[in-house]
PDB file of all heavy atoms in Angstrom:
ATOM      1  N   ALA A   1       0.845  -1.177  -0.001  1.00  0.00           N
ATOM      2  CA  ALA A   1      -0.018   0.009  -0.004  1.00  0.00           C
ATOM      3  C   ALA A   1       0.878   1.236   0.005  1.00  0.00           C
ATOM      4  O   ALA A   1       1.873   1.346   0.702  1.00  0.00           O
ATOM      5  CB  ALA A   1      -0.933  -0.004   1.214  1.00  0.00           C
ATOM      6  N   GLY A   2       0.474   2.223  -0.776  1.00  0.00           N
ATOM      7  CA  GLY A   2       1.219   3.438  -0.941  1.00  0.00           C
ATOM      8  C   GLY A   2       2.241   3.416  -2.078  1.00  0.00           C
ATOM      9  O   GLY A   2       2.798   4.473  -2.412  1.00  0.00           O
ATOM     10  N   GLY A   3       2.454   2.258  -2.627  1.00  0.00           N
ATOM     11  CA  GLY A   3       3.443   2.082  -3.688  1.00  0.00           C
ATOM     12  C   GLY A   3       2.865   2.462  -5.063  1.00  0.00           C
ATOM     13  O   GLY A   3       1.721   2.896  -5.200  1.00  0.00           O
ATOM     14  N   SER A   4       3.697   2.315  -6.082  1.00  0.00           N
ATOM     15  CA  SER A   4       3.344   2.654  -7.424  1.00  0.00           C
ATOM     16  C   SER A   4       3.571   1.511  -8.395  1.00  0.00           C
ATOM     17  O   SER A   4       4.400   0.612  -8.108  1.00  0.00           O
ATOM     18  CB  SER A   4       4.143   3.904  -7.930  1.00  0.00           C
ATOM     19  OG  SER A   4       3.873   5.017  -7.131  1.00  0.00           O
ATOM     20  N   LEU A   5       2.867   1.506  -9.498  1.00  0.00           N
ATOM     21  CA  LEU A   5       2.955   0.478 -10.481  1.00  0.00           C
ATOM     22  C   LEU A   5       2.579   1.100 -11.837  1.00  0.00           C
ATOM     23  O   LEU A   5       1.723   1.994 -11.895  1.00  0.00           O
ATOM     24  CB  LEU A   5       2.082  -0.700 -10.158  1.00  0.00           C
ATOM     25  CG  LEU A   5       2.390  -2.074 -10.735  1.00  0.00           C
ATOM     26  CD1 LEU A   5       3.751  -2.538 -10.259  1.00  0.00           C
ATOM     27  CD2 LEU A   5       1.337  -3.063 -10.297  1.00  0.00           C
ATOM     28  N   ARG A   6       3.229   0.617 -12.926  1.00  0.00           N
ATOM     29  CA  ARG A   6       2.893   1.076 -14.223  1.00  0.00           C
ATOM     30  C   ARG A   6       2.518  -0.093 -15.108  1.00  0.00           C
ATOM     31  O   ARG A   6       3.273  -1.044 -15.281  1.00  0.00           O
ATOM     32  CB  ARG A   6       4.109   1.827 -14.835  1.00  0.00           C
ATOM     33  CG  ARG A   6       3.771   2.475 -16.177  1.00  0.00           C
ATOM     34  CD  ARG A   6       4.978   3.270 -16.704  1.00  0.00           C
ATOM     35  NE  ARG A   6       4.712   3.951 -17.980  1.00  0.00           N
ATOM     36  CZ  ARG A   6       4.147   5.105 -18.112  1.00  0.00           C
ATOM     37  NH1 ARG A   6       3.782   5.804 -17.048  1.00  0.00           N
ATOM     38  NH2 ARG A   6       3.953   5.648 -19.311  1.00  0.00           N
ATOM     39  N   LEU A   7       1.323  -0.021 -15.677  1.00  0.00           N
ATOM     40  CA  LEU A   7       0.806  -1.052 -16.604  1.00  0.00           C
ATOM     41  C   LEU A   7       0.972  -0.547 -18.026  1.00  0.00           C
ATOM     42  O   LEU A   7       0.834   0.635 -18.295  1.00  0.00           O
ATOM     43  CB  LEU A   7      -0.624  -1.352 -16.336  1.00  0.00           C
ATOM     44  CG  LEU A   7      -1.031  -1.809 -14.901  1.00  0.00           C
ATOM     45  CD1 LEU A   7      -2.507  -2.136 -14.857  1.00  0.00           C
ATOM     46  CD2 LEU A   7      -0.206  -2.989 -14.474  1.00  0.00           C
ATOM     47  N   SER A   8       1.286  -1.492 -18.924  1.00  0.00           N
ATOM     48  CA  SER A   8       1.404  -1.173 -20.316  1.00  0.00           C
ATOM     49  C   SER A   8       0.609  -2.122 -21.172  1.00  0.00           C
ATOM     50  O   SER A   8       0.414  -3.299 -20.800  1.00  0.00           O
ATOM     51  CB  SER A   8       2.889  -1.186 -20.787  1.00  0.00           C
ATOM     52  OG  SER A   8       3.634  -0.217 -20.104  1.00  0.00           O
ATOM     53  N   CYS A   9       0.152  -1.655 -22.297  1.00  0.00           N
ATOM     54  CA  CYS A   9      -0.628  -2.502 -23.237  1.00  0.00           C
ATOM     55  C   CYS A   9      -0.194  -2.164 -24.643  1.00  0.00           C
ATOM     56  O   CYS A   9      -0.136  -0.999 -25.012  1.00  0.00           O
ATOM     57  CB  CYS A   9      -2.130  -2.255 -23.051  1.00  0.00           C
ATOM     58  SG  CYS A   9      -3.161  -3.117 -24.238  1.00  0.00           S
ATOM     59  N   ALA A  10       0.065  -3.177 -25.431  1.00  0.00           N
ATOM     60  CA  ALA A  10       0.465  -3.013 -26.837  1.00  0.00           C
ATOM     61  C   ALA A  10      -0.555  -3.650 -27.729  1.00  0.00           C
ATOM     62  O   ALA A  10      -0.956  -4.817 -27.512  1.00  0.00           O
ATOM     63  CB  ALA A  10       1.851  -3.587 -27.097  1.00  0.00           C
ATOM     64  N   ALA A  11      -1.007  -2.910 -28.752  1.00  0.00           N
ATOM     65  CA  ALA A  11      -1.943  -3.448 -29.733  1.00  0.00           C
ATOM     66  C   ALA A  11      -1.180  -3.805 -30.969  1.00  0.00           C
ATOM     67  O   ALA A  11      -0.343  -3.054 -31.470  1.00  0.00           O
ATOM     68  CB  ALA A  11      -3.006  -2.377 -30.049  1.00  0.00           C
ATOM     69  N   SER A  12      -1.520  -4.944 -31.524  1.00  0.00           N
ATOM     70  CA  SER A  12      -0.878  -5.380 -32.779  1.00  0.00           C
ATOM     71  C   SER A  12      -1.915  -5.840 -33.797  1.00  0.00           C
ATOM     72  O   SER A  12      -3.052  -6.224 -33.418  1.00  0.00           O
ATOM     73  CB  SER A  12       0.077  -6.589 -32.486  1.00  0.00           C
ATOM     74  OG  SER A  12      -0.606  -7.704 -31.985  1.00  0.00           O
ATOM     75  N   GLY A  13      -1.585  -5.742 -35.050  1.00  0.00           N
ATOM     76  CA  GLY A  13      -2.471  -6.097 -36.121  1.00  0.00           C
ATOM     77  C   GLY A  13      -2.307  -5.103 -37.260  1.00  0.00           C
ATOM     78  O   GLY A  13      -1.434  -4.228 -37.230  1.00  0.00           O
ATOM     79  N   SER A  14      -3.115  -5.284 -38.321  1.00  0.00           N
ATOM     80  CA  SER A  14      -2.985  -4.447 -39.513  1.00  0.00           C
ATOM     81  C   SER A  14      -4.348  -3.918 -39.899  1.00  0.00           C
ATOM     82  O   SER A  14      -5.375  -4.550 -39.648  1.00  0.00           O
ATOM     83  CB  SER A  14      -2.392  -5.224 -40.654  1.00  0.00           C
ATOM     84  OG  SER A  14      -1.070  -5.664 -40.311  1.00  0.00           O
ATOM     85  N   GLY A  15      -4.351  -2.732 -40.529  1.00  0.00           N
ATOM     86  CA  GLY A  15      -5.539  -2.189 -41.104  1.00  0.00           C
ATOM     87  C   GLY A  15      -6.569  -1.734 -40.119  1.00  0.00           C
ATOM     88  O   GLY A  15      -7.752  -1.918 -40.343  1.00  0.00           O
ATOM     89  N   PHE A  16      -6.156  -1.135 -39.007  1.00  0.00           N
ATOM     90  CA  PHE A  16      -7.090  -0.662 -38.014  1.00  0.00           C
ATOM     91  C   PHE A  16      -6.712   0.703 -37.484  1.00  0.00           C
ATOM     92  O   PHE A  16      -5.539   1.095 -37.551  1.00  0.00           O
ATOM     93  CB  PHE A  16      -7.223  -1.638 -36.868  1.00  0.00           C
ATOM     94  CG  PHE A  16      -5.960  -1.816 -36.068  1.00  0.00           C
ATOM     95  CD1 PHE A  16      -5.666  -0.978 -34.976  1.00  0.00           C
ATOM     96  CD2 PHE A  16      -5.064  -2.814 -36.383  1.00  0.00           C
ATOM     97  CE1 PHE A  16      -4.510  -1.125 -34.250  1.00  0.00           C
ATOM     98  CE2 PHE A  16      -3.902  -2.962 -35.652  1.00  0.00           C
ATOM     99  CZ  PHE A  16      -3.603  -2.122 -34.574  1.00  0.00           C
ATOM    100  N   THR A  17      -7.668   1.455 -36.943  1.00  0.00           N
ATOM    101  CA  THR A  17      -7.458   2.710 -36.241  1.00  0.00           C
ATOM    102  C   THR A  17      -8.147   2.604 -34.899  1.00  0.00           C
ATOM    103  O   THR A  17      -9.327   2.337 -34.826  1.00  0.00           O
ATOM    104  CB  THR A  17      -7.989   3.875 -37.049  1.00  0.00           C
ATOM    105  OG1 THR A  17      -7.337   3.994 -38.304  1.00  0.00           O
ATOM    106  CG2 THR A  17      -7.778   5.159 -36.240  1.00  0.00           C
ATOM    107  N   ILE A  18      -7.389   2.769 -33.841  1.00  0.00           N
ATOM    108  CA  ILE A  18      -7.948   2.669 -32.484  1.00  0.00           C
ATOM    109  C   ILE A  18      -8.338   4.071 -32.034  1.00  0.00           C
ATOM    110  O   ILE A  18      -7.507   4.958 -31.813  1.00  0.00           O
ATOM    111  CB  ILE A  18      -6.935   2.065 -31.524  1.00  0.00           C
ATOM    112  CG1 ILE A  18      -6.525   0.665 -31.971  1.00  0.00           C
ATOM    113  CG2 ILE A  18      -7.492   2.028 -30.084  1.00  0.00           C
ATOM    114  CD1 ILE A  18      -5.487  -0.002 -31.094  1.00  0.00           C
ATOM    115  N   TYR A  19      -9.637   4.290 -31.846  1.00  0.00           N
ATOM    116  CA  TYR A  19     -10.123   5.620 -31.443  1.00  0.00           C
ATOM    117  C   TYR A  19     -10.104   5.785 -29.945  1.00  0.00           C
ATOM    118  O   TYR A  19      -9.864   6.886 -29.481  1.00  0.00           O
ATOM    119  CB  TYR A  19     -11.553   5.810 -31.981  1.00  0.00           C
ATOM    120  CG  TYR A  19     -11.550   6.003 -33.467  1.00  0.00           C
ATOM    121  CD1 TYR A  19     -11.769   4.886 -34.306  1.00  0.00           C
ATOM    122  CD2 TYR A  19     -11.326   7.217 -34.033  1.00  0.00           C
ATOM    123  CE1 TYR A  19     -11.753   5.030 -35.693  1.00  0.00           C
ATOM    124  CE2 TYR A  19     -11.307   7.394 -35.422  1.00  0.00           C
ATOM    125  CZ  TYR A  19     -11.502   6.298 -36.223  1.00  0.00           C
ATOM    126  OH  TYR A  19     -11.489   6.441 -37.576  1.00  0.00           O
ATOM    127  N   THR A  20     -10.349   4.736 -29.177  1.00  0.00           N
ATOM    128  CA  THR A  20     -10.294   4.808 -27.743  1.00  0.00           C
ATOM    129  C   THR A  20      -9.509   3.607 -27.184  1.00  0.00           C
ATOM    130  O   THR A  20      -9.721   2.494 -27.607  1.00  0.00           O
ATOM    131  CB  THR A  20     -11.716   4.837 -27.157  1.00  0.00           C
ATOM    132  OG1 THR A  20     -12.441   5.905 -27.699  1.00  0.00           O
ATOM    133  CG2 THR A  20     -11.659   4.982 -25.613  1.00  0.00           C
ATOM    134  N   MET A  21      -8.628   3.897 -26.252  1.00  0.00           N
ATOM    135  CA  MET A  21      -7.950   2.853 -25.494  1.00  0.00           C
ATOM    136  C   MET A  21      -8.155   3.138 -24.025  1.00  0.00           C
ATOM    137  O   MET A  21      -8.404   4.264 -23.616  1.00  0.00           O
ATOM    138  CB  MET A  21      -6.446   2.813 -25.831  1.00  0.00           C
ATOM    139  CG  MET A  21      -6.117   2.537 -27.269  1.00  0.00           C
ATOM    140  SD  MET A  21      -4.369   2.231 -27.563  1.00  0.00           S
ATOM    141  CE  MET A  21      -4.175   0.574 -26.912  1.00  0.00           C
ATOM    142  N   GLY A  22      -8.029   2.076 -23.222  1.00  0.00           N
ATOM    143  CA  GLY A  22      -8.210   2.311 -21.820  1.00  0.00           C
ATOM    144  C   GLY A  22      -7.978   1.081 -20.991  1.00  0.00           C
ATOM    145  O   GLY A  22      -7.492   0.023 -21.474  1.00  0.00           O
ATOM    146  N   TRP A  23      -8.347   1.225 -19.729  1.00  0.00           N
ATOM    147  CA  TRP A  23      -8.160   0.181 -18.738  1.00  0.00           C
ATOM    148  C   TRP A  23      -9.443  -0.027 -17.936  1.00  0.00           C
ATOM    149  O   TRP A  23     -10.042   0.976 -17.529  1.00  0.00           O
ATOM    150  CB  TRP A  23      -7.020   0.496 -17.779  1.00  0.00           C
ATOM    151  CG  TRP A  23      -5.677   0.520 -18.456  1.00  0.00           C
ATOM    152  CD1 TRP A  23      -5.053   1.587 -19.019  1.00  0.00           C
ATOM    153  CD2 TRP A  23      -4.808  -0.602 -18.595  1.00  0.00           C
ATOM    154  NE1 TRP A  23      -3.827   1.224 -19.544  1.00  0.00           N
ATOM    155  CE2 TRP A  23      -3.656  -0.104 -19.284  1.00  0.00           C
ATOM    156  CE3 TRP A  23      -4.847  -1.959 -18.240  1.00  0.00           C
ATOM    157  CZ2 TRP A  23      -2.584  -0.946 -19.634  1.00  0.00           C
ATOM    158  CZ3 TRP A  23      -3.788  -2.786 -18.599  1.00  0.00           C
ATOM    159  CH2 TRP A  23      -2.663  -2.263 -19.251  1.00  0.00           C
ATOM    160  N   TYR A  24      -9.834  -1.227 -17.770  1.00  0.00           N
ATOM    161  CA  TYR A  24     -10.924  -1.603 -16.865  1.00  0.00           C
ATOM    162  C   TYR A  24     -10.341  -2.590 -15.875  1.00  0.00           C
ATOM    163  O   TYR A  24      -9.356  -3.244 -16.131  1.00  0.00           O
ATOM    164  CB  TYR A  24     -12.063  -2.199 -17.643  1.00  0.00           C
ATOM    165  CG  TYR A  24     -12.860  -1.211 -18.483  1.00  0.00           C
ATOM    166  CD1 TYR A  24     -12.312  -0.663 -19.641  1.00  0.00           C
ATOM    167  CD2 TYR A  24     -14.140  -0.764 -18.101  1.00  0.00           C
ATOM    168  CE1 TYR A  24     -13.005   0.264 -20.408  1.00  0.00           C
ATOM    169  CE2 TYR A  24     -14.825   0.125 -18.863  1.00  0.00           C
ATOM    170  CZ  TYR A  24     -14.256   0.654 -20.005  1.00  0.00           C
ATOM    171  OH  TYR A  24     -14.972   1.546 -20.767  1.00  0.00           O
ATOM    172  N   ARG A  25     -11.045  -2.741 -14.754  1.00  0.00           N
ATOM    173  CA  ARG A  25     -10.644  -3.730 -13.762  1.00  0.00           C
ATOM    174  C   ARG A  25     -11.840  -4.526 -13.284  1.00  0.00           C
ATOM    175  O   ARG A  25     -12.944  -4.048 -13.326  1.00  0.00           O
ATOM    176  CB  ARG A  25      -9.878  -3.082 -12.599  1.00  0.00           C
ATOM    177  CG  ARG A  25     -10.748  -2.146 -11.762  1.00  0.00           C
ATOM    178  CD  ARG A  25      -9.824  -1.445 -10.744  1.00  0.00           C
ATOM    179  NE  ARG A  25     -10.582  -0.539  -9.865  1.00  0.00           N
ATOM    180  CZ  ARG A  25     -10.064   0.279  -8.992  1.00  0.00           C
ATOM    181  NH1 ARG A  25      -8.737   0.292  -8.801  1.00  0.00           N
ATOM    182  NH2 ARG A  25     -10.813   1.065  -8.227  1.00  0.00           N
ATOM    183  N   GLN A  26     -11.529  -5.697 -12.773  1.00  0.00           N
ATOM    184  CA  GLN A  26     -12.608  -6.580 -12.308  1.00  0.00           C
ATOM    185  C   GLN A  26     -12.235  -7.165 -10.949  1.00  0.00           C
ATOM    186  O   GLN A  26     -11.150  -7.803 -10.829  1.00  0.00           O
ATOM    187  CB  GLN A  26     -12.851  -7.684 -13.289  1.00  0.00           C
ATOM    188  CG  GLN A  26     -14.068  -8.540 -12.995  1.00  0.00           C
ATOM    189  CD  GLN A  26     -14.438  -9.430 -14.198  1.00  0.00           C
ATOM    190  OE1 GLN A  26     -13.638  -9.686 -15.033  1.00  0.00           O
ATOM    191  NE2 GLN A  26     -15.687  -9.885 -14.191  1.00  0.00           N
ATOM    192  N   PHE A  27     -13.078  -6.928  -9.967  1.00  0.00           N
ATOM    193  CA  PHE A  27     -12.928  -7.544  -8.653  1.00  0.00           C
ATOM    194  C   PHE A  27     -13.624  -8.895  -8.632  1.00  0.00           C
ATOM    195  O   PHE A  27     -14.586  -9.107  -9.402  1.00  0.00           O
ATOM    196  CB  PHE A  27     -13.504  -6.617  -7.583  1.00  0.00           C
ATOM    197  CG  PHE A  27     -12.979  -5.205  -7.604  1.00  0.00           C
ATOM    198  CD1 PHE A  27     -13.814  -4.158  -8.016  1.00  0.00           C
ATOM    199  CD2 PHE A  27     -11.669  -4.914  -7.255  1.00  0.00           C
ATOM    200  CE1 PHE A  27     -13.336  -2.880  -8.063  1.00  0.00           C
ATOM    201  CE2 PHE A  27     -11.192  -3.633  -7.305  1.00  0.00           C
ATOM    202  CZ  PHE A  27     -12.022  -2.603  -7.714  1.00  0.00           C
TER     203      PHE A  27
END
């Protein structure tokens, strides 16, 4: 608790445009 963390996400593929990216979480 009180610490930090950095998450990363990479998208791969061809012929697309990503209009929105984001993060969701599930308990």
Side-chain angles (χ1 to χ4, degrees):
S4 298
L5 203 61
R6 186 175 181 87
L7 305 182
S8 297
C9 175
S12 62
S14 299
F16 65 88
T17 300
I18 301 177
Y19 290 94
T20 303
M21 299 189 76
W23 294 90
Y24 289 73
R25 65 187 182 185
Q26 188 168 20
F27 307 109

